Amino acid sequence: MPRLCRKGKIVLILTKSFSRFDRNTLNMLKAMRELYRLNADVIFKRENAWFHQQESGMLITTYCALSQAEIGA
């Protein structure tokens, strides 16, 4: 997906939940930063969070950590 975002073919990613996007907090935050730089947005349906909303930053970090904790990593 990042490759398609770089080409401008994807500007919005809709995903079911944080745990479906990635279960590793560090990997997810890196991916989210890269998508932000590429001006792509991510919406997490279950958590009702939109990546480009300022108030979602802490929420996203918290959900990432919870998703990782679910698998015991």
Side-chain angles (χ1 to χ4, degrees):
M1 266 191 271
R3 187 186 75 215
L4 294 174
C5 289
R6 282 186 207 101
K7 292 181 179 181
K9 295 186 179 203
I10 295 178
V11 294
L12 177 66
I13 300 169
L14 178 63
T15 186
K16 182 178 177 180
S17 67
F18 288 102
S19 61
R20 296 289 182 188
F21 192 85
D22 199 333
R23 290 196 181 228
N24 181 293
T25 303
L26 184 58
N27 290 343
M28 184 170 185
L29 292 175
K30 284 181 182 179
M32 298 298 281
R33 284 188 202 110
E34 181 178 3
L35 291 170
Y36 184 79
R37 278 194 314 272
L38 297 171
N39 205 27
D41 204 357
V42 183
I43 296 174
F44 300 94
K45 189 169 174 82
R46 185 175 71 180
E47 293 84 4
N48 195 28
W50 185 9
F51 180 60
H52 274 120
Q53 290 176 330
Q54 286 185 337
E55 62 271 5
S56 294
M58 184 58 123
L59 178 70
I60 288 171
T61 305
T62 303
Y63 274 118
C64 289
L66 290 172
S67 294
Q68 183 172 335
E70 283 179 2
I71 62 167

